[in-house]
Amino acid sequence: MAKVFVTGANGFIGAHLITALLERGDYVVGLVRPTSDTRSLRPLFDRFGTRLRLVMGDIRDPASLDVGLEDVEFVFHLAAVLLGTSEKEFRDANVDGTRNVFEAVTRHRTDRLRRVVFTSSLAAGGPATGDTLIDENKPANPVSWYGKSKLDAEAVAREYVDKGLPVTIARPVAVYGEGELDLSGGTFGPVNAGLAPRVGFKTKTLSFVYVGDLVRGLIAAAETDGVVGKKYLFADPIPRRAKESISIIADALNKKIRIPLITPHFVLSVMAVLVEWLHKFTRGRPMLTRDKVREIRQRFWAATAAAAQRDLGWSAQVDLPEGMRRSVRDWRQRGEARRIIHEPLRDRAIKTYSLGILFGILTEGLAALANWFHFTPWWIIFIVIVGIYGGIMASIALWSAGLPAIVQFVLGGAVGFAAETINHLSGNMFWYFDTLPVPDNPWVGALLAGVIPAGVLVLLINFLVGALYRRRLRLG
């Protein structure tokens, strides 16, 4: 039984890694921040009792890293900022935080220490320039703050290797599986609704790795001799086109209807700015950032794990179709668990449709007073208030209430874009702009007058409905 120290213990990968270590009999100390959500680890205490211990700390605070490192044999450093809104945020956690962890391990190191595994990312190396598979020897060209911070953290790791610390670097590709929030949160809902979302008009290619396979790779990197100072990519052997990936998700969801929904890159960039703005008020984990958009814009994120297979004896065992079936099953179970404690549908529907009509009255009334635009004929305003605001937009808000904010914005924005485009193509048959400064370019106009207002409307309706429900709970 080995003693293992894991940073980022309550994260998606961390929780799976700790489970695997406990199941094989190890004693695990997990580092979590005082504000961390540790619900994913609660079942492990019931199963493994005293072999799991959590210590409070923050990799950005060196003084908090002196507990739990005594006599450890393996250290897995996973804690990191993945979605940040500033370059400093990435550097503080991913670069300086990594240095703090390695320094703490060095201070408490004994002869029992066998390996430190640092989890980096494919983003550290950057995308390929063509359809060539990325390997460990590819010259690094990170395109995001996140990727740059991970590359600099790898440089820190090599510094400590030169000082005698036995570090091995892992570079996973896009990781998915049970408990994952970003891919499932942003994609499964729209696909389940019969859509086939796609970002940009050009084909993209990327590699995935199932979280269980990655965990086996991390453990192999810790236990294999002769790999200190080396880095390894972990990826499924079959890269996937974006369209193929969506089809695999639709198959896992058993959805036959797959209506294409293309989001141009510039729309995604605008949405990222709005999500970051909302993040300033909610302080929750943003689902999309400008930094992430820099990575999403790239076309080739396909990698090979040949080196890991050669040196570690590792290969992916779960292919994407099977992994997605497991992910979908978990996503549905999590959705059912959330619905148990959510507000009754009837009550939420009353509030949602009422707010939709109210916003229609306020928006169109203000527009009429300010002479922003006019309807032809004038009575269409009532159809817009009741049919679009109180009908279509409110229905989208009601249906998407449990989905991530970015999905809500996209769905609402798609309706706004369609309405403005149809009106423009019909020669402004239904409404025309007076004093509201809308660009003559129909696509820019549809973005400014349709996508942004409609997307924000859906977010605002769901925010207010949720706030009313939370207030009701507080008042009993």
Side-chain angles (χ1 to χ4, degrees):
M1 178 175 70
K3 181 179 179 182
V4 185
F5 186 85
V6 180
T7 70
N10 62 303
F12 164 48
I13 300 172
H16 281 272
L17 174 61
I18 286 179
T19 301
L21 294 170
L22 291 169
E23 286 178 342
R24 72 178 200 161
D26 290 337
Y27 176 86
V28 179
V29 179
L31 178 74
V32 295
R33 289 184 298 165
T35 57
S36 293
D37 182 353
T38 58
R39 285 177 293 180
S40 61
L41 302 177
R42 289 176 187 173
L44 299 180
F45 284 101
D46 295 332
R47 292 177 59 190
F48 302 104
T50 58
R51 285 201 290 113
L52 174 60
R53 175 190 172 198
L54 297 183
V55 295
M56 298 296 175
D58 192 320
I59 61 174
R60 294 166 295 190
D61 178 12
S64 70
L65 301 176
D66 286 324
V67 179
L69 283 166
E70 304 85 2
D71 296 322
V72 296
E73 294 181 46
F74 300 104
V75 175
F76 292 90
H77 175 37
L78 283 77
V81 167
L82 279 71
L83 289 167
T85 57
S86 70
E87 187 172 13
K88 182 178 185 301
E89 190 176 353
F90 286 110
R91 293 202 64 83
D92 287 348
N94 300 351
V95 183
D96 298 339
T98 296
R99 185 179 298 278
N100 293 337
V101 170
F102 289 164
E103 189 61 33
V105 173
T106 301
R107 285 198 303 271
H108 296 277
R109 179 180 181 178
T110 67
D111 291 339
R112 297 188 62 188
L113 181 67
R114 295 172 55 188
R115 191 66 48 80
V116 178
V117 177
F118 166 54
T119 303
S120 181
S121 170
L122 179 64
T129 55
D131 258 333
T132 303
L133 293 179
I134 299 169
D135 63 16
E136 292 79 0
N137 297 318
K138 172 189 171 297
N141 64 322
V143 295
S144 62
W145 291 334
Y146 171 69
K148 181 65 164 58
S149 71
K150 282 296 189 179
L151 183 64
D152 290 346
E154 290 183 4
V156 172
R158 287 191 292 272
E159 288 179 24
Y160 279 83
V161 169
D162 293 339
K163 296 177 182 179
L165 199 65
V167 183
T168 300
I169 299 170
R171 276 188 179 180
V173 296
V175 189
Y176 72 100
E178 298 90 336
E180 185 273 337
L181 299 178
D182 296 326
L183 175 65
S184 62
T187 305
F188 287 10
V191 175
N192 195 47
L195 302 175
R198 175 180 165 186
V199 177
F201 296 96
K202 294 183 179 180
T203 300
K204 292 181 171 63
T205 306
L206 65 161
S207 292
F208 294 90
V209 64
Y210 177 66
V211 65
D213 284 334
L214 174 60
V215 164
R216 288 191 304 101
L218 296 178
I219 294 174
E223 296 184 331
T224 304
D225 294 330
V227 297
V228 170
K230 296 183 179 180
K231 60 177 177 280
Y232 293 97
L233 284 160
F234 294 96
D236 184 292
I238 305 176
R240 306 284 182 170
R241 303 286 188 186
K243 183 177 180 180
E244 180 188 7
S245 303
I246 294 298
S247 295
I248 290 173
I249 294 173
D251 289 341
L253 289 162
N254 197 27
K255 291 296 175 180
K256 304 301 181 185
I257 300 176
R258 304 169 188 185
I259 303 171
L261 176 64
I262 300 177
T263 303
H265 287 137
F266 78 91
V267 173
L268 205 66
S269 298
V270 172
M271 289 161 50
V273 172
L274 291 172
V275 171
E276 289 187 27
W277 179 75
L278 290 172
H279 169 70
K280 295 181 182 296
F281 301 96
T282 64
R283 305 313 301 174
R285 184 173 185 267
M287 290 298 297
L288 182 69
T289 63
R290 290 167 295 164
D291 193 60
K292 179 54 67 173
V293 172
R294 295 185 190 107
E295 296 177 2
I296 294 174
R297 284 177 172 273
Q298 309 306 313
R299 295 183 58 195
F300 302 105
W301 287 104
T304 173
Q309 184 171 6
R310 180 192 66 231
D311 295 352
L312 307 177
W314 178 90
S315 61
Q317 296 179 352
V318 179
D319 63 9
L320 191 62
E322 172 58 26
M324 283 302 172
R325 284 191 288 270
R326 299 181 187 182
S327 301
V328 163
R329 185 162 53 246
D330 172 74
W331 175 75
R332 283 175 167 155
Q333 289 172 350
R334 284 186 279 133
E336 288 298 326
R338 287 194 300 270
R339 278 190 285 273
I340 291 174
I341 61 173
H342 276 187
E343 186 175 20
L345 178 61
R346 185 196 64 177
D347 295 348
R348 187 173 191 93
I350 291 173
K351 296 175 186 176
T352 300
Y353 287 110
S354 298
L355 282 172
I357 292 176
L358 178 61
F359 275 118
I361 293 173
L362 292 175
T363 302
E364 301 306 331
L366 179 62
L369 291 174
N371 289 319
W372 286 345
F373 50 84
H374 287 88
F375 291 93
T376 53
W378 65 268
W379 47 262
I380 287 183
I381 189 173
F382 297 107
I383 297 178
V384 171
I385 291 173
V386 177
I388 296 182
Y389 283 90
I392 296 175
M393 301 308 297
S395 294
I396 291 175
L398 181 66
W399 173 83
S400 66
L403 300 178
I406 186 65
V407 178
Q408 298 178 37
F409 182 92
V410 168
L411 294 174
V415 173
F417 182 83
E420 291 295 338
T421 301
I422 291 172
N423 184 61
H424 176 80
L425 294 177
S426 65
N428 298 322
M429 178 183 298
F430 306 105
W431 59 84
Y432 60 92
F433 294 98
D434 286 340
T435 60
L436 192 67
V438 176
D440 292 334
N441 185 296
W443 307 115
V444 177
L447 170 66
L448 297 178
V451 174
I452 296 176
V456 171
L457 175 64
V458 172
L459 289 174
L460 190 56
I461 290 175
N462 281 332
F463 172 77
L464 291 175
V465 171
L468 290 172
Y469 181 52
R470 289 189 293 272
R471 183 174 184 275
R472 173 185 165 190
L473 292 178
R474 286 196 299 270
L475 297 176

